């Protein structure tokens, strides 16, 4: 089989069963692979050729090189499983050692500064991530069918499971999240199913269209700069919330269900179960967040009062 044909079949599969972002990652890597082996059959690609390619990608970073290994190996395994090819040339190619770094978790004050620096629509978006501990892609995909204002919960979906199938989980609403979603629903255009959407230019269709966000990576860099704080990404909001819960002795099982992590039993991701423990976990999180907000507000007011007195005194 021609390598180009195998890559196209794999991309068709990824687009059908995985997220748009995962598909785009594959396409981005596939373009580089085809520059190397686009005119070859799969049987003509040898392990030493793959290793040379990996070493070139190492010049970017070891993490980048390892990502190429994972995606390329998955592509050849796709062909093996369907009996399209006889051998995977990536077998035996070892991952490069990488240096693990501590993930930066911003202080609560910095999170509030960044949210305050945004417009109202973006504030709603950031608060929704913060109050659900959801992933950026999960919030981008959030529709009004996933929002239950009566029973006060939202359903978030993730594809971070084997097989690429969307796995749902219920997350209880905090008071803040309830007020945000209730307000947005009352003013929403019923013709648009998404909680957060925008108008953008589609190269494929050659016109402006309306739809959900696919990616908002640049947003946080701009907001952090505007707020004058150290740069952090959307994912840091999940870590900050999880750390706060853990410090308040919320059961680890509840935290993992709310975060939608993989290393729990399958029954914990089913929709039929949302225990009172999970509701209490979100209630504890909200109480702590409110307390921190009040403390920070009092501190800022005291600082302003001291500054005014200092200026009045000769």
């Amino acid at each position: 089989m021609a390598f180009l044909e195998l890559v196209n079949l794999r991309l068709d599969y990824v687009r059908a069963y995985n997220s748009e972002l995962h598909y785009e990652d594959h396409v981005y890597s596939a373009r580089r692979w085809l520059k190397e082996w686009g005119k070859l059959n799969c049987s003509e690609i040898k392990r030493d050729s793959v290793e040379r390619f990996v070493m070139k990608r190492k010049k970017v970073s070891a993490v980048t090189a390892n990502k190429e290994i994972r995606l390329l190996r998955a592509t050849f395994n796709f062909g093996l499983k369907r009996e399209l090819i006889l051998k995977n040339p990536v077998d035996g190619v070892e991952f490069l050692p990488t240096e693990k770094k501590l993930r930066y978790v911003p202080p609560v004050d910095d999170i509030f500064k960044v949210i305050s620096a945004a417009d109202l629509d973006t504030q709603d978006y950031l608060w929704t991530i913060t109050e659900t501990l959801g992933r950026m892609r999960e919030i981008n995909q959030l529709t009004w069918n996933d929002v239950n204002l009566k029973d006060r919960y939202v359903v978030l979906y993730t594809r971070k499971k084997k097989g690429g199938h969307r796995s749902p989980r219920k997350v209880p609403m905090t008071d803040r999240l309830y007020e945000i979603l209730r307000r947005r629903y009352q003013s929403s255009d019923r013709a648009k199913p998404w909680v957060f959407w925008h108008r953008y230019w589609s190269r494929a269709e050659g016109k402006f269209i309306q739809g959900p966000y696919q990616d908002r990576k640049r947003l946080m860099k701009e907001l952090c700069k505007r707020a004058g704080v150290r740069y952090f990404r959307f994912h840091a909001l999940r870590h900050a919330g999880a750390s706060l819960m853990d410090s308040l002795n919320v059961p680890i099982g509840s935290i993992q269900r709310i975060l939608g992590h993989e290393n729990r039993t399958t029954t914990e991701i089913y929709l039929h179960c949302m225990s009172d423990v999970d509701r209490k976990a979100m209630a504890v999180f909200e109480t702590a967040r409110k307390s921190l907000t009040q403390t920070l507000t009092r501190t800022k007011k005291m600082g302003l009062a001291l500054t005014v007195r200092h200026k009045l005194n000769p």
Side-chain angles (χ1 to χ4, degrees), residues 185-220:
Y185 180 74
Q186 289 174 346
S187 62
S188 66
D189 181 349
R190 299 298 190 270
K192 298 179 180 64
W194 316 284
V195 176
F196 299 100
W197 57 275
H198 66 143
R199 183 172 181 268
Y200 63 98
W201 177 260
S202 172
R203 291 182 181 179
E205 299 191 26
K207 62 180 182 180
F208 281 100
I209 62 175
Q210 295 172 338
Y213 290 97
Q214 296 295 328
D215 194 316
R216 303 192 74 176
K217 290 181 179 178
R218 296 180 181 177
L219 175 64
M220 291 303 290

Side-chain angles (χ1 to χ4, degrees), residues 30-82:
R31 289 172 183 155
R32 285 190 293 272
W33 304 342
L34 295 178
K35 287 181 180 179
E36 295 283 330
W37 309 297
K39 297 181 180 180
L40 300 180
N41 291 328
C42 294
S43 59
E44 297 177 280
I45 303 173
K46 306 300 180 183
R47 191 174 81 178
D48 60 346
S49 176
V50 174
E51 289 176 335
R52 286 195 297 272
F53 172 75
V54 169
M55 288 301 105
K56 284 196 294 186
R57 298 300 293 157
K58 183 186 177 183
K59 293 179 181 178
V60 178
S61 74
V63 173
T64 297
N66 287 341
K67 182 177 181 180
E68 298 282 6
I69 294 173
R70 283 194 298 273
L71 297 180
L72 196 54
R73 179 173 289 151
T75 298
F76 281 106
N77 281 339
F78 173 86
L80 278 175
K81 187 175 181 180
R82 286 154 183 76

Side-chain angles (χ1 to χ4, degrees), residues 111-125:
I111 293 175
F112 293 159
K113 287 179 181 178
V114 167
I115 295 177
S116 298
D119 59 66
L120 179 60
D121 185 64
T122 304
Q123 286 187 20
D124 289 350
Y125 179 81

Side-chain angles (χ1 to χ4, degrees), residues 175-188:
D175 289 342
R176 182 191 290 271
L177 182 60
Y178 173 77
E179 291 302 324
I180 288 172
L181 295 180
R182 185 173 64 87
R183 169 172 50 79
R184 293 185 70 88
Y185 180 74
Q186 289 174 346
S187 62
S188 66

Side-chain angles (χ1 to χ4, degrees), residues 145-178:
N145 286 336
D146 304 321
V147 176
N148 189 320
L149 292 171
K150 179 182 177 182
D151 295 326
R152 297 176 65 130
Y153 67 80
V154 297
V155 181
L156 300 181
Y157 292 87
T158 181
R159 288 190 187 272
K160 295 193 72 173
K161 309 287 177 185
K162 289 186 178 180
H165 302 294
R166 295 210 318 161
S167 299
R169 68 183 185 279
K170 285 184 179 179
V171 180
M173 288 186 196
T174 62
D175 289 342
R176 182 191 290 271
L177 182 60
Y178 173 77

